[in-house]
Amino acid sequence: MIRDERLIFEKSVAGRIGFSLPENDVPEVDLAKTFGEGVLRDSEPEIPEVSEVDVIRHYTNLSKRNYGVDSGFYPLGSCTMKYNPKINEDIAAMDGFSRMHPLQNPLSAQGSLEILYRMDKLLSEILGMERVTLQPAAGAQGEMTGLMIIKAYHISRNDEKRVKIIVPDSSHGTNPASAALAGFEVVHIPSDEKGCVDIASLETILDDTVAGLMLTNPNTLGLFEEDILKISEMVHKCGGLLYYDGANMNAIMGIARPGDMGFDIAHVNLNKTFSTPHGGGGPGSGPIGVVKELVPFLPVPIIEKRDDYYVFDYDKPLSIGKVKSFYGNFSVVLKAFCYIMMMGSEGLKSASQAAVLNANYIRKKLEDVYDIPYNRICMHEFVLSAQRQAKNGVTALDIAKNLLDEGYHPPTIYFPLIVHEALMIEPTETESPETLDAFINTMRRLAGQAETDPEKLKNAPKTTYVSRLDEVKAARTPVLRWRP
Ligand SMILES: *Cc1c(COP(=O)(O)O)cnc(C)c1O
């Protein structure tokens, strides 16, 4: 196949058009006369002049270069790339929802308000919290909202010396970043030999300057923090609050609840766990739930039900304010609502059970050929180390690149930072035993090749559109704009 590398701009031919408009049947307006010369542009816009078929082919071919969970297995640890049922997209696209206007009179939007209200109740139940705000646009913004609430809570008690947020060394980068953005000082605690929070270190840090602790459970190694009740008791005893990073909810839906573990605030990534693909380039949603004591601090508005009507309640004097325009990303919330209603409580629970089973299945089938630094029963994901292969010069990066040639999206690599040559594998619940076995066989074959023919693994990928990129250059000097 001849690959056409040209940008759409480079395919432009002067005068070619891809549309036709009806004759103008309204009076022409002289813009310069009506609005002044300043509104006119000096030159024609540099827009590609192409035909309809040029456009269709251009973008169809670009889309084929992409890899998504709809094209194949995508075991991206930490970010839950599971298949999302298309019926949820269909419902979100229904006119009654998609043509709503955020400034519409609430009286004519009662159905949508009811969905927001019921979603608050459903997520409160799933998280074990009192109330939920649906405003944050993703998990990271949920974190920042939660930290702003922690701050507002301490200030409301005239306890302003609490400036520290504790995060484990295995935590996701957004945790310390959100804490710093919210104006806190970040304190790291190490993991113990089991891969969990080191209780003795925690003990030494806890004092009356601690505002709170951020934790994900199961943690970033895919391990359940068994001492979570002890940890929450310790943090509460010193006057701090506990924030739950819910990116790993896919492991425990309907089985365990952050609220019951002692967390005061919890986010959930609808764009991971609840039927919106993560990193799809579209909008996300990271609602947070809070315990009763923190409800007054939630962003406004809260949706309440009064005399059979759903209304916006802005009367919250202690609220941290708004964190997102209007009411959050409604269509993402709606898809999550459909997903939860369709799954039911038993369905959500069995999804988590299958996600955990699938991860353990792969872990057991690979443990003799790869190192697994914290090798015990995992939750929905686990972390391999390619340290053994690296002795032959085959790194986690090489394995990831070879997986591309095998038709897989690679796992997350080099994260969490505490595992050398990390490959973080999360199969999710939606994969069949056949898919898991095929992946296991590929991973085993690559481990074998790392011993017999390591050089060969250095050249991958060969089947993708581009091979190894200069990632530093791409990150540091990105060219994001075409110029004539
Ligand atoms: C994905 C992730 C986040 C951030 O969530 P976004 O929705 O991407 O903002 C936070 N913590 C963990 C552990 C994650 O995996």
Side-chain angles (χ1 to χ4, degrees), residues 26-204:
V26 293
E28 278 196 29
V29 173
D30 187 335
L31 287 178
K33 228 190 214 153
T34 319
F35 300 106
E37 288 291 337
V39 303
L40 296 187
R41 50 191 317 146
D42 299 328
S43 56
E44 292 284 310
E46 302 268 359
I47 295 171
E49 295 178 76
V50 284
S51 68
E52 177 174 326
V53 67
D54 289 338
V55 174
I56 293 295
R57 288 196 183 139
H58 183 78
Y59 288 104
T60 302
N61 284 322
L62 275 184
S63 77
K64 286 201 267 185
R65 292 196 208 171
N66 240 335
Y67 188 98
V69 73
D70 289 351
S71 15
F73 187 41
Y74 205 131
L76 190 76
S78 190
C79 284
T80 307
M81 285 299 291
K82 64 186 191 183
Y83 175 77
N84 298 299
K86 295 295 169 267
I87 188 168
N88 302 329
E89 302 283 344
D90 289 347
I91 294 171
M94 283 165 61
D95 278 355
F97 293 123
S98 64
R99 293 180 179 235
M100 289 275 302
H101 194 281
L103 290 176
Q104 204 163 314
N105 184 329
L107 276 177
S108 69
Q110 286 291 302
S112 296
L113 263 65
E114 177 177 349
I115 283 170
L116 295 174
Y117 181 81
R118 287 172 66 185
M119 196 58 175
D120 173 350
K121 296 273 175 276
L122 289 169
L123 290 176
S124 294
E125 173 70 25
I126 290 169
L127 293 170
M129 293 288 159
E130 180 72 17
R131 287 304 294 262
V132 162
T133 173
L134 302 165
Q135 263 181 49
Q141 204 192 7
E143 291 171 27
M144 201 182 77
T145 308
L147 288 156
M148 287 163 70
I149 290 175
I150 291 180
K151 191 166 223 178
Y153 166 81
H154 290 308
I155 289 175
S156 78
R157 296 158 51 95
N158 298 319
D159 194 359
E160 292 178 26
K161 63 191 171 306
R162 295 189 179 269
V163 292
K164 290 184 194 152
I165 290 288
I166 303 171
V167 298
D169 58 0
S170 65
S171 78
H172 192 267
T174 52
N175 292 182
S178 306
L181 261 182
F184 288 107
E185 193 182 304
V186 178
V187 183
H188 287 276
I189 33 163
S191 304
D192 64 12
E193 71 287 349
K194 278 168 71 193
C196 291
V197 168
D198 187 75
I199 301 280
S201 311
L202 180 62
E203 189 83 67
T204 62

Side-chain angles (χ1 to χ4, degrees), residues 30 46 59 87 106 136 173 185 230 233 247 262 280 287 308 327 343 381 411 419 455 479:
D30 187 335
E46 302 268 359
Y59 288 104
I87 188 168
E185 193 182 304
K230 174 135 199 252
E233 194 192 312
D308 285 340
Y327 323 106
M343 296 290 278
E381 63 191 356
V419 172
E455 268 318 298
V479 180

Side-chain angles (χ1 to χ4, degrees), residues 447-458:
Q449 277 181 347
E451 288 184 10
T452 55
D453 195 2
E455 268 318 298
K456 206 170 152 212
L457 297 184
K458 307 297 286 182

Side-chain angles (χ1 to χ4, degrees), residues 78-79 138-140 143 172 174-175 216 220 245 247 267 269 271-272 278:
S78 190
C79 284
E143 291 171 27
H172 192 267
T174 52
N175 292 182
T216 175
T220 305
D245 175 339
H267 84 241
N269 304 60
N271 51 289
K272 277 185 187 175
H278 180 74

Side-chain angles (χ1 to χ4, degrees), residues 169-332:
D169 58 0
S170 65
S171 78
H172 192 267
T174 52
N175 292 182
S178 306
L181 261 182
F184 288 107
E185 193 182 304
V186 178
V187 183
H188 287 276
I189 33 163
S191 304
D192 64 12
E193 71 287 349
K194 278 168 71 193
C196 291
V197 168
D198 187 75
I199 301 280
S201 311
L202 180 62
E203 189 83 67
T204 62
I205 299 172
L206 290 176
D207 61 22
D208 63 0
T209 64
V210 169
L213 170 91
M214 296 178 88
L215 208 63
T216 175
N217 195 18
N219 67 20
T220 305
L221 291 163
L223 303 174
F224 195 82
E225 293 279 357
E226 286 159 4
D227 288 328
I228 186 58
L229 293 178
K230 174 135 199 252
I231 294 169
S232 66
E233 194 192 312
M234 286 165 70
V235 175
H236 284 145
K237 214 164 138 200
C238 94
L241 296 178
L242 276 95
Y243 182 92
Y244 181 82
D245 175 339
N248 294 336
M249 271 307 286
N250 213 45
I252 61 167
M253 288 184 296
I255 300 167
R257 310 192 305 171
D260 300 333
M261 298 179 207
F263 287 95
D264 304 289
I265 309 178
H267 84 241
V268 55
N269 304 60
L270 301 187
N271 51 289
K272 277 185 187 175
T273 318
F274 293 98
S275 203
T276 283
H278 180 74
S285 176
I288 63 168
V290 297
V291 294
K292 201 165 184 186
E293 214 176 346
L294 299 177
V295 172
F297 302 98
L298 281 175
V300 282
I302 297 272
I303 295 175
E304 299 288 6
K305 191 174 182 189
R306 286 187 195 137
D307 307 333
D308 285 340
Y309 286 100
Y310 296 97
V311 294
F312 293 122
D313 183 359
Y314 282 90
D315 186 17
K316 301 269 166 210
L318 290 177
S319 164
I320 58 164
K322 269 180 104 60
V323 296
K324 170 99 175 68
S325 55
F326 303 111
Y327 323 106
N329 284 326
F330 178 69
S331 65
V332 183

